[in-house]
Amino acid sequence: MTLEAIIIRADGALAETEELRHLAFAKVFAEAGFEWHCDRAQFSQSRTLGNAKARLTYFVRQYLSRRPETPDVEQLIGAMQRRAAKVFGELVEGSDVEPRSGIRDLVVVARREGIRLALAAGLKREVAQSLLFKVLGALGQDAFEVIAAREDADSPVAGDQIYRDALEELCLPPRSCLVVEATLAGAQAAKLVGLPVITIRSAYCYDCPGTGDEAMVFEDLPSLVTHSDKRRLDPLSADERVELVTALQRLHAGNFDGVSGSNRSGVMRVSDILKTKGSAVKTIASNATLRAFAHALRTEAVGAMIVIDSKGGLQGIISERDLARGLAEFGADLPAMAVSDLMTRAVVTCAPDDSVAAISKVMTQRRIRHLPVVVDGGLVGLVSIGDVLKHRLDEVQLEANVLRDYAIARK
């Protein structure tokens, strides 16, 4: 079926709004005299509770957990919720809200190609309209023929209604449209109506990936374009805009050929590192001597080895740092000791689908330099801190090249 309309989620896909919601909650709690401390991860997780009122109710009850339940609490929650909605609207109106990467390009090319545009928002209608104008100005007002807004639409059960409203105003069947969402809950709501969905990951979207539908989760819209596999800071060229709409049409049809290479989410994963470095892993038996281990480190030019049992199962990991620690502890007795006497038995592992950003955080927090890659209990590779750093440097170099080319083009 032909793609006739694109429905963009305002609060997340059109623009990041969770930071403003976070600030609104903080201001309201402060006005109520509460010492409310909630970081980005905690606030993001509260999205699973439902709409803004449900989230605020949770935080208030959490704060008042040791106090008896009284009718005054319900009145307090109601007053705080109304105040939070007003503050949020004021923040939208008074803040410099930027569109998500590629959104402006999508709007321009959709209008040129005759694809209709609709906005779906878990916000009050007047706030959604204000957000649209702040993000896209007159372009947004002219391009979007439908605005479907419901303040209770943060939960999947209620959220599907904004998509039903959008379809009713568009007078189109679900399969003629494509939704651009930013969270798992929003994607699920759209799917309840039978709408095809792609998800561009929000900074507050801690439930993506892990959706069970990885092929439809992307870092941002430019990552759909063949020549833009990293986040773009500059507008797409005319040719890239054509590629963008072509990619969306392919995704709408369920065809992933030619869309953003093999890594459809636009996020570097452990599997991508293994494709480059290979899956060969240097191993050693647990009963081998530490002298043999030291010799193996030198001949294989590696910093750590996986310890395996007679059946090839993972028993532990041992590194050159373990040798240094063992020398200080056991002295001259060390060379004759077995690998099993010094190895780390509680091995932290990762999976091929884990993101490089995630394992980088694990390595930093746990102060480890090597992670075995395991699938169904079987060893399939080894990733080092050096592999992670190389990836980071490659990203920085690419971004520097993009900025340089952009600066040259503007001269």
Side-chain angles (χ1 to χ4, degrees):
M1 187 173 285
T2 303
L3 175 60
E4 297 185 49
I6 295 174
I7 306 173
I8 300 173
R9 183 63 180 252
D11 36 332
L14 178 76
E16 292 281 15
T17 57
E18 277 294 278
E19 184 66 34
L20 298 181
R21 181 81 70 185
H22 196 178
L23 291 173
F25 274 33
K27 182 174 182 178
V28 170
F29 272 86
E31 290 175 348
F34 296 160
E35 293 184 6
W36 183 63
H37 303 287
C38 181
D39 61 23
R40 172 180 283 194
Q42 293 171 322
F43 193 70
S44 171
Q45 290 165 0
S46 73
R47 289 183 70 112
T48 60
L49 299 172
N51 59 21
K53 183 178 181 180
R55 297 166 74 183
L56 188 138
T57 299
Y58 166 77
F59 288 123
V60 172
R61 293 191 184 281
Q62 187 181 54
Y63 186 86
L64 301 175
S65 59
R66 296 182 181 179
R67 303 184 187 183
E69 185 74 20
T70 65
D72 292 343
V73 173
E74 288 295 334
Q75 295 177 7
L76 173 65
I77 291 173
M80 290 180 69
Q81 192 276 326
R82 290 189 294 273
R83 176 61 178 155
K86 182 178 180 181
V87 172
F88 177 76
E90 292 171 351
L91 288 172
V92 169
E93 185 66 33
S95 302
D96 293 327
V97 186
E98 294 293 329
R100 291 289 304 275
S101 181
I103 283 292
R104 187 180 295 275
D105 296 292
L106 173 58
V107 172
V108 170
V109 74
R111 293 186 73 190
R112 189 182 67 197
E113 298 294 325
I115 299 174
R116 301 165 68 189
L117 291 171
L119 194 70
L123 309 168
K124 290 183 177 180
R125 185 176 183 84
E126 58 268 26
V127 176
Q129 291 172 324
S130 177
L131 178 65
L132 180 60
F133 183 77
K134 291 287 290 186
V135 171
L136 295 174
L139 172 65
Q141 290 183 323
D142 294 341
F144 286 82
E145 61 179 89
V146 169
I147 298 178
R150 285 178 179 259
E151 195 175 11
D152 62 349
D154 281 346
S155 64
V157 175
D160 68 321
Q161 190 58 52
I162 58 171
Y163 290 114
R164 297 183 193 279
D165 293 344
L167 287 172
E168 183 176 349
E169 291 194 54
L170 288 168
C171 297
L172 290 174
R175 292 301 307 175
S176 294
C177 305
L178 178 67
V179 171
V180 181
E181 258 288 353
T183 66
L184 172 58
Q188 290 174 332
K191 288 176 183 177
L192 286 174
V193 187
L195 285 158
V197 188
I198 67 167
T199 304
I200 55 174
R201 189 178 289 100
S202 166
Y204 276 80
C205 183
Y206 286 79
D207 53 13
C208 294
T211 65
D213 191 9
E214 282 295 302
M216 300 296 276
V217 181
F218 302 87
E219 186 68 11
D220 54 20
L221 288 173
S223 68
L224 299 175
V225 179
T226 305
H227 304 298
S228 300
D229 59 343
K230 300 296 181 184
R231 184 178 296 278
R232 290 291 299 267
L233 301 178
D234 54 315
L236 299 181
S237 67
D239 289 341
E240 287 170 331
R241 285 176 176 172
V242 172
E243 288 187 51
L244 175 60
V245 76
T246 300
L248 290 171
Q249 289 168 335
R250 286 176 178 153
L251 290 170
H252 173 255
N255 178 12
F256 300 94
D257 292 341
V259 179
S260 195
S262 60
N263 185 357
R264 312 219 186 274
S265 67
V267 175
M268 185 76 165
R269 304 199 181 280
V270 171
S271 57
D272 297 312
I273 290 178
L274 295 182
K275 287 175 185 176
T276 302
K277 70 174 291 186
S279 58
V281 180
K282 305 301 180 182
T283 62
I284 192 167
S286 60
N287 59 359
T289 65
L290 289 171
R291 184 188 300 276
F293 169 62
H295 180 72
L297 287 182
R298 180 181 179 184
T299 56
E300 299 291 351
V302 294
M305 300 185 80
I306 302 298
V307 185
I308 58 172
D309 57 25
S310 58
K311 296 182 180 179
L314 177 64
Q315 276 196 308
I317 187 170
I318 185 168
S319 70
E320 55 193 5
R321 288 198 301 179
D322 295 319
L323 274 182
R325 176 174 53 83
L327 183 61
E329 187 173 350
F330 301 107
D333 295 332
L334 184 69
M337 294 172 61
V339 165
S340 58
D341 295 327
L342 208 62
M343 71 182 186
T344 299
R345 298 179 182 273
V347 184
V348 180
T349 64
C350 63
D353 287 339
D354 290 341
S355 70
V356 173
I359 68 169
S360 174
K361 185 176 181 180
V362 170
M363 287 177 164
T364 301
Q365 292 177 339
R366 303 291 290 271
R367 296 186 178 181
I368 53 181
R369 303 175 66 185
H370 299 84
L371 284 180
V373 187
V374 175
V375 175
D376 297 328
L379 185 66
V380 298
L382 181 70
V383 176
S384 71
I385 190 68
D387 299 322
V388 173
L389 289 174
K390 181 180 183 302
H391 160 68
R392 295 297 192 197
L393 288 172
D394 288 344
E395 280 190 328
V396 170
Q397 184 61 54
L398 180 60
E399 290 180 2
N401 290 341
V402 169
L403 289 172
R404 181 198 62 204
D405 293 344
Y406 181 49
I408 293 173
R410 295 196 63 178
K411 288 182 179 179

